[in-house]
């Protein structure tokens, strides 16, 4: 009988530790996230001439999916790796009212508190819809 009681206590302790661990994993914190623009096809690359002729220049964000927890203070460090004079981008996240210009060869910082849970699309104003991604804010409860 005593042995069985001990086993229940042990199972309870393991369960409690698991729950505490899960809570800790979702605690709000400052999240520094590093994003870079990527060039999938550029007129400056002769090997991509046919792709550019068919689709135009094609850019993206890497990573294109950002996952944070509700309540996190999010700091995005975004580098535009394109160097041409006409190679500006924007980081536009309408769900959080963000529209940041990314001049060529610049690093811009965007910070906000992820107070709303959900999935929020972001894009570049000049190269949408293909230059896009999603911010996933996991609910705190
Ligand atoms: Cu762009």
């Amino acid at each position: 009988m005593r042995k069985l009681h001990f086993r229940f206590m042990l199972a309870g302790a393991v369960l409690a530790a698991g729950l505490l661990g899960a809570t800790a994993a979702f605690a709000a914190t400052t999240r520094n996230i590093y994003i870079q623009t990527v060039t999938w096809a550029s007129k400056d690359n002769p090997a991509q001439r046919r792709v550019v002729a068919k689709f135009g220049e094609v850019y993206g964000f890497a990573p294109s999916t950002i996952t944070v927890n509700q309540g996190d203070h999010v700091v995005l460090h975004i580098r535009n790796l394109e160097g041409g004079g006409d190679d500006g981008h924007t980081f536009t996240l309408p769900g959080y009212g963000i529209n940041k210009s990314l001049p060529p060869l610049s690093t811009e910082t965007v910070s906000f508190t992820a107070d709303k849970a959900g999935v929020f699309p972001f894009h570049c104003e000049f190269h949408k819809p293909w230059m896009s991604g999603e911010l996933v804010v996991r609910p705190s409860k």
Side-chain angles (χ1 to χ4, degrees):
M1 199 64 178
R2 258 176 179 242
K3 231 176 188 175
L4 192 66
H5 189 75
F6 177 73
R7 278 189 186 162
F8 272 116
M9 279 173 55
L10 190 65
V14 168
L15 186 67
L19 287 173
L20 281 173
T23 305
F26 284 87
T29 185
T30 296
R31 303 285 301 275
N32 281 285
I33 297 169
Y34 299 87
I35 302 172
Q36 301 181 86
T37 64
V38 289
T39 306
W40 299 115
S42 166
K43 62 182 186 310
D44 297 331
N45 184 338
Q48 295 167 343
R49 199 166 289 152
R50 290 178 62 217
V51 176
V52 173
K54 186 166 175 64
F55 299 114
E57 291 189 291
V58 187
Y59 298 100
F61 292 105
S64 60
T65 301
I66 305 164
T67 305
V68 300
N69 299 320
Q70 188 175 12
D72 280 355
H73 180 60
V74 181
V75 185
L76 305 177
H77 307 271
I78 312 169
R79 287 205 302 200
N80 177 358
L81 302 185
E82 270 66 64
D86 60 345
D87 290 332
H89 296 296
T90 71
F91 179 85
T92 304
L93 177 63
Y96 272 86
I98 291 165
N99 185 19
K100 186 80 175 175
S101 176
L102 308 172
L105 295 178
S106 68
T107 303
E108 298 295 329
T109 302
V110 171
S111 54
F112 60 96
T113 299
D115 51 2
K116 292 174 284 186
V119 178
F120 303 92
F122 60 82
H123 62 268
C124 165
E125 282 292 319
F126 306 129
H127 304 106
K128 61 185 180 183
W130 301 100
M131 187 175 188
S132 63
E134 284 182 336
L135 167 73
V136 179
V137 182
R138 292 186 287 211
S140 57
K141 295 174 198 162

